[in-house]
Amino acid sequence: MAREDFSFFHSLRVRWAEADMQGIVFNGHYLTYFDVAFTEYWRSTGLPSVLQQASDGREMFARKATIEYNAPARFDDVLDIGVRCAGFGRTSVRFVLEIFRGDQHLISGELVYVYADTAVRKGVPFPEEWRAVLSRVEKVAPVAA
């Protein structure tokens, strides 16, 4: 994945509390970085917030998260976290995330969410209107699974 494939980036500065004894970001913090960037991505789309989804009785539940480490981030680095919708299943949606320090690609990741009925915790079809919105904001069209 190339930096140019992303239409959305969220910048974040690495804080002291996130660095380990070697001065590099502890690996578990990358999932938090993904979550922060994903939240801002979602907010930028104008789609219903997590609070609105909860009140509607339908929410996106995390199904899968992966991280691939290419190079470490360090204390005080300014990171650019790219988020893009990469594909849709019947009830799921897949996001690809990449973390960059300047032009250097540090981390790759994937988040898969299942859209579900909150009461029974079972997947329901991902809304067509949401698919349309996410497809419009992307430089690279999401694929159907």
Side-chain angles (χ1 to χ4, degrees):
M1 181 90 16
R3 188 179 174 104
E4 301 79 43
D5 292 338
F6 292 90
S7 58
F8 179 87
F9 284 92
H10 178 72
S11 292
L12 180 144
R13 184 179 297 274
V14 175
R15 295 157 291 235
W16 179 250
E18 297 158 349
D20 62 17
M21 296 283 293
Q22 292 80 35
I24 62 175
V25 171
F26 175 72
N27 59 42
H29 289 296
Y30 292 110
L31 283 174
T32 300
Y33 295 172
F34 286 174
D35 187 62
V36 169
F38 174 77
T39 299
E40 295 307 318
Y41 168 91
W42 193 263
R43 186 185 325 272
S44 77
T45 68
L47 289 169
S49 71
V50 294
L51 297 175
Q52 182 62 51
Q53 290 176 49
S55 73
D56 293 344
R58 307 247 169 146
E59 297 179 66
M60 294 194 324
F61 295 132
R63 174 74 172 101
K64 177 182 177 182
T66 62
I67 303 173
E68 185 174 338
Y69 305 97
N70 300 307
R74 300 180 183 284
F75 166 67
D76 215 29
D77 282 350
V78 175
L79 307 177
D80 292 321
I81 307 164
V83 181
R84 78 175 191 84
C85 179
F88 302 106
R90 187 179 74 77
T91 64
S92 64
V93 58
R94 182 173 65 90
F95 296 91
V96 171
L97 299 95
E98 304 278 343
I99 299 178
F100 298 89
R101 179 180 50 230
D103 289 333
Q104 185 182 15
H105 175 224
L106 304 179
I107 306 292
S108 297
E110 178 184 73
L111 298 174
V112 176
Y113 291 95
V114 172
Y115 188 63
D117 180 305
T118 308
V120 294
R121 300 188 70 82
K122 289 282 193 186
V124 295
F126 194 78
E128 287 298 323
E129 56 274 12
W130 291 17
R131 291 173 192 258
V133 168
L134 293 174
S135 294
R136 273 195 307 272
V137 302
E138 298 301 343
K139 289 182 178 180
V140 178
V143 298

